[in-house]
Amino acid sequence: MTTALGTRLNFQTLVQARRGGEAMMAMRRGQPPAQALRAAGVLPRLYVMVCGDTGCLARKSDKTRDALIQAMSAYGLDSDVEVMRSGCFGFCSQAPVVVTYPDGIFYCQVKPEDAEEIVTRHVLGGQPVERLLYQPDPRVRQRVARMMEMSFFKGQQRIALRNLGLIDPESIEEAIAARAYEALARVLQEMTPEQVIAEMKRSGLRGRGGAGFPTGLKWEIARNTPGDIKYVTCNADEGDPGAFMDRGILEGDPHSVLEAMAIAGYAIGSHHGFIYVRAEYPNAVRRLERAVSQATDLGLLGERILGSDFSFHVELRLGAGAYVCGEETALMASVEGKRGMPRPRPPFPSDAGLWGKPTLNNNVETYANVPPIILNGGDWYASIGTEKSKGTKVFALAGNVTNTGLVEVPMGTTLRQIVYDVGGGIPKGKKFKAAQTGGPSGGCVPAEHIDTPIDYESLAALGSIVGSGGLIIMDEDACMVDVARYYLEFTQDESCGKCPPCRIGTKRMLEILNRIVAGEGEEGDIERLESLASSIKATSLCGLGQNAPNPVLSTIRYFRDEYEAHIRHKHCPAGRCKELVEYRVNAEKCIGCTLCIRVCPSGAITGELKKPHAIDTELCAKCGSCYDVCRPKAIER
Amino acid sequence: MRFAHGEAPTWPEARKAEVEEIIARYPDSRSAVLPLLHLAQAARGWVAQEDLEAVGRILGLSTAYVDSTASFYAMYHGHPVGKYVITVCTNLSCHLAGAGKVLEALEKTLGIKPGETTRDGLITLEGTSECLAACDAGPVAQVNVEYFLRLTGAKAETLVEALRSGDTKALAGLAEHGEAAAEAVLSARVREVPAHV
C-alpha cells in the first residue's frame, strides 16, 4: 500500500485503514473478493514478493528485486505489477525466494538474470517459469508450482508466523491491512482485563520460550498481584544454539509483538514494556525501532492508545552477549544495570520483578500468538494441537536436512513429518540418526522414536524437551559423544558462575567428556558423568544449570554404545573425533586418481597416477578432506 | 585487567543529550550502565578504564561496580581491537556445517589465534560459542555487525584478502547485505548506535 497514514488513529480510522488494505491482503491470500477490484484496475494485477530476510539477502535477493523492478518497467508493467520486499517464507534453503500473488507461484533460487523470463513467460504469458519451480526430488523431473502444494508448506499451520512473507515488515500500513492492532482495538473497546485473561486461559497457550508455563495463568497471577506500577517484558534474548524463531518474527512481523505487549499491559494493569533483544541482531533491532516509532506516531502505542484511556510505552533494551540473560531473573538484573545473574525464585517476577515491581515476562513467539487468539477466540486455538499441548510451535530446522528454515506445525506433528515431509529428508541419501531438540537444555530423539508426536509431554517422556524450538537434525556421520561435549562446552562457557553446582559441576563433566573424545576415557567415566549430572540437576540455581546435563544424559541413554566405543576401544564410530580416527587407503579400491594428494593440506599422501596411494599417519592432520573427495570411497577411517 | 587504559572519552560531552535521554528512561539511573557502555564502545571501538570511570561518574556509581558489570558481558571489548572484528560462530549447527575449517583457515591466513589482533592492527579474530542465529546458513561469521553466511575455508581467505585490499566488490560478493554491508565494513563505520541502546 503506497498511501502513508498521516495522523494518530482512533478506533474508527483504524478500521478504515484496515479496510483500505483488505483487498490487497485478500488478493495476496488468493481470496475471491479481490478479483473484481483487480479487474477494475484498482489493484495491481500481480504482486511479486521478493524475500528480504537474512537467508535470501545473503544470496542477493536485493539484486533480484532490482532486476524484477527494471524488467517490469522495461515492459511497461509498472502499474500492473507491484514488486515488493517481504518477510521470511521460512524456506531458506531455496533462497532467494520469489512468490507471486494471487496465484501463489513459488520460485526458487531466483537470480537477476531470471527476471526477464518471469516477465515474458509468467506476467505476459500467464505460465509459470517451469525451471524455477520447486523440485522436491532431484532425481524426479516433477516440479511443484504452487506454494501451498509444496510439502514444506502443506504440513505447516502458520499462526505465529502468519504475516511472514505476506507483508513488508517495514510498513505499518501493510501490517494494519493484515489485521495488526485489530485485536488491541477489540480488547480496548469490548473486553475487560478479566475477559482477556479468560480468553488466554481458554486458549491453553503455554510459554514458547522453553519452560511451557501456561500463559493465561501467568497473566492472571500478574493481574492479581497488587501494585501501582507493573511492567511487561518481552524476552527477545534468543540464544539457544540452533534457534532463530524469534529473530524471524522480529524481522518479519515486529508489530505482532508490540500489539501483544500492549494487550498484556491492558490485561495486567501495566503501562510500561521493555523488549530485551540481543545486540547480535542488528536487523531485528532496526525493524523493532522502526515499528515502535511508527506505532507511536499513529497512536497505537504511547499515550491514550486509539483515543482510549489506556497508555502503554515500549522501550528497547540491547543485551551485550550473555546467554544466561535469557533466564527471566537474569534478564531483569541486566535491565537494572547489574551482572546478568539469575536469583532464586520465589519471589517470582510476577511478585517482584523489574525494580522490585510486579512484572510479566513472555517470549517473542508467545506474544506473536496473542493477537490471533483474541481475534479468533481461545477455543479456536485450543482446537489445534494435542490435549495438553495446544496450538502450534515454530521450529528452526537446521543441520543435516534438505529444507532448512523456520517451520510452524501443530503440536503433535511427528518428528518424521517434520524431517521427511516438511524438511524433505536427509541430504546425500544418508540416514537419519537423531534430532536434537531444545538446544543445550534439551536432548536427542533417536531414529527409533522418529514417530513420536512433538509435544511437551511426549518429548519429556523421551528425556528431551520442546524447548524454545531449535531443531538440529543429525545424519549418520554425527558423533553423539562429540555433540554432547559441544553443548556442555557451551553451557560451561555461559555459566554465570554464581552457583557452584553449575560453575564447577559442568566444568568437571566437560573435562571427562574432553578426555573421552581424546581417547583417554576410563572405565567408570559414564557413571561419573551420570552421578555429576544428577547432582547438578538437583542443586543448580536456575534453568541453565538444571538442564545443562540433559544433552549428556540423553545421549548416554540412547547411544551408550558410542560412549563405550570411545572409552574401551578408543574408537569413534562416526569418525568425527580426530584423536580416535586414523585415515588409510584401501589399496584394492584406490584407482590412483591423485585427487586426494591434491587436496591434502599437509602433504601426507603420496603415490603415482593409476597406482594405489598411501597416507603417512605421522603427517596426517586428520582433516578428512581426502575422505570427502574420494569418489571410489577408497579412503577409510 | 579486563579493561585497558585509553585516552579520556569524548562521548560524555559529545553525546550529552543522548546520555540524559537514556538515563531519563529508567526509574533507577543504574539501569543506564549497559546502554552507556554501548555508547562508549561505539565511540572508541572498545571500552577503556576511562570509559568505566566516566559511566560511574555520570551515574554516581563506583568504577569498581561498573567494571564488575561490564566484565560480565562478552560484547564489550576491553582492549583495542582491529578495524575489522571477525567473529566466527562455532556453535553446533555451524560446527556440523564446518565452522572448524573456517576458523582454521582464518587462523592460518591471518597468522593469529582467536582473541588476537593482527600486527598491523587491521583484523581481530574471535570465535564465539554464542549462536549467531543463522543456523540454516552456516558456517556463519560477522565482520563488525555484518553477516557472512555459508562460509568455507576458501571463502574465508577471500574475505580476508578483500578486507586487506579494501576491495568493496569482492567483499560485497560475500556479505549478506551486499554492497551496503561491504561499504559499511570497509569504512569501519561502526553502525550508528540506535537511539534505544
Side-chain angles (χ1 to χ4, degrees), chain B residues 10-18:
Chain B
T10 53
W11 60 267
E13 276 308 309
R15 299 179 78 165
K16 196 168 181 168
E18 232 171 304

Side-chain angles (χ1 to χ4, degrees), chain A residues 165-479:
Chain A
L166 196 69
I167 61 167
D168 175 350
E170 296 195 359
S171 158
I172 192 170
E173 291 84 2
E174 289 214 14
I176 288 172
R179 304 183 75 180
Y181 300 100
E182 185 182 346
L184 176 62
R186 182 178 299 178
V187 162
L188 295 178
Q189 274 183 303
E190 299 169 13
M191 294 170 84
T192 64
E194 287 77 12
Q195 284 172 322
V196 174
I197 289 168
E199 210 58 51
M200 290 308 296
K201 285 175 84 173
R202 229 188 328 271
S203 75
L205 176 66
R206 293 166 64 173
R208 296 293 190 241
F213 190 82
T215 305
L217 181 61
K218 201 178 203 178
W219 289 28
E220 187 174 57
I221 296 169
R223 161 114 201 131
N224 292 340
T225 310
D228 50 344
I229 296 176
K230 294 181 185 179
Y231 295 105
V232 171
T233 53
C234 171
N235 187 344
D237 194 43
E238 179 174 61
D240 270 359
F244 50 96
M245 304 77 49
D246 296 349
R247 183 172 63 74
I249 293 171
L250 294 173
E251 289 181 3
D253 190 14
H255 289 288
S256 68
V257 176
L258 302 180
E259 179 185 8
M261 287 179 74
I263 293 172
Y266 175 77
I268 71 159
S270 163
H271 304 289
H272 299 278
F274 288 91
I275 304 179
Y276 190 95
V277 57
R278 291 182 77 185
E280 292 94 330
Y281 286 3
N283 297 339
V285 172
R286 275 195 296 264
R287 294 247 163 101
L288 270 173
E289 271 175 349
R290 200 183 163 91
V292 169
S293 104
Q294 288 170 335
T296 308
D297 287 347
L298 293 185
L300 297 163
L301 283 179
E303 291 297 321
R304 301 179 60 84
I305 291 175
L306 288 163
S308 72
D309 292 337
F310 177 66
S311 301
F312 191 78
H313 301 263
V314 174
E315 296 280 358
L316 299 196
R317 176 72 189 218
L318 266 67
Y323 169 73
V324 72
C325 288
E327 196 279 344
E328 59 180 8
T329 61
L331 182 149
M332 287 168 201
S334 182
V335 175
E336 290 173 6
K338 300 171 184 164
R339 292 167 74 88
M341 304 216 276
R343 58 160 178 78
R345 296 175 300 182
F348 285 90
S350 49
D351 289 321
L354 264 186
W355 301 291
K357 305 290 184 191
T359 303
L360 172 71
N361 178 54
N362 288 122
N363 113 307
V364 172
E365 187 187 335
T366 312
Y367 280 128
N369 279 302
V370 171
I373 288 174
I374 297 295
L375 289 176
N376 304 322
D379 290 332
W380 159 79
Y381 193 80
S383 71
I384 303 159
T386 65
E387 196 197 331
K388 286 185 177 162
S389 301
K390 305 294 189 192
T392 56
K393 177 77 192 90
V394 182
F395 289 100
L397 197 55
N400 307 125
V401 61
T402 306
N403 304 333
T404 55
L406 289 181
V407 304
E408 182 172 357
V409 292
M411 286 280 190
T413 302
T414 67
L415 184 57
R416 183 187 297 279
Q417 287 170 306
I418 296 177
V419 173
Y420 286 95
D421 296 345
V422 179
I426 314 294
K428 298 178 193 159
K430 292 193 176 171
K431 282 200 214 74
F432 169 82
K433 181 169 188 176
Q436 175 77 23
T437 68
S441 305
C444 64
V445 179
E448 65 258 36
H449 291 300
I450 194 168
D451 288 309
T452 303
I454 305 273
D455 59 46
Y456 291 106
E457 289 70 30
S458 311
L459 284 186
L462 292 179
S464 190
I465 58 170
V466 172
S468 60
L471 188 59
I472 301 181
I473 309 302
M474 285 170 283
D475 66 18
E476 55 195 274
D477 291 342
C479 167

Side-chain angles (χ1 to χ4, degrees), chain A residues 57 247 286 289 317 339 486, chain B residues 31 68 90 133 176 191 194:
Chain A
L57 275 173
R247 183 172 63 74
R286 275 195 296 264
E289 271 175 349
R317 176 72 189 218
R339 292 167 74 88
Y486 225 83
Chain B
S31 294
S68 79
T90 58
E176 179 208 340
R191 260 198 191 145

Side-chain angles (χ1 to χ4, degrees), chain B residues 85-118:
Chain B
V85 179
I86 306 181
T87 310
V88 182
C89 178
T90 58
N91 219 302
L92 188 69
S93 308
C94 286
H95 172 67
L96 287 171
K101 286 183 183 168
V102 173
L103 196 58
E104 259 173 44
L106 286 170
E107 285 177 24
K108 207 168 142 192
T109 171
L110 293 168
I112 53 172
K113 295 269 164 213
E116 294 175 356
T117 302
T118 51

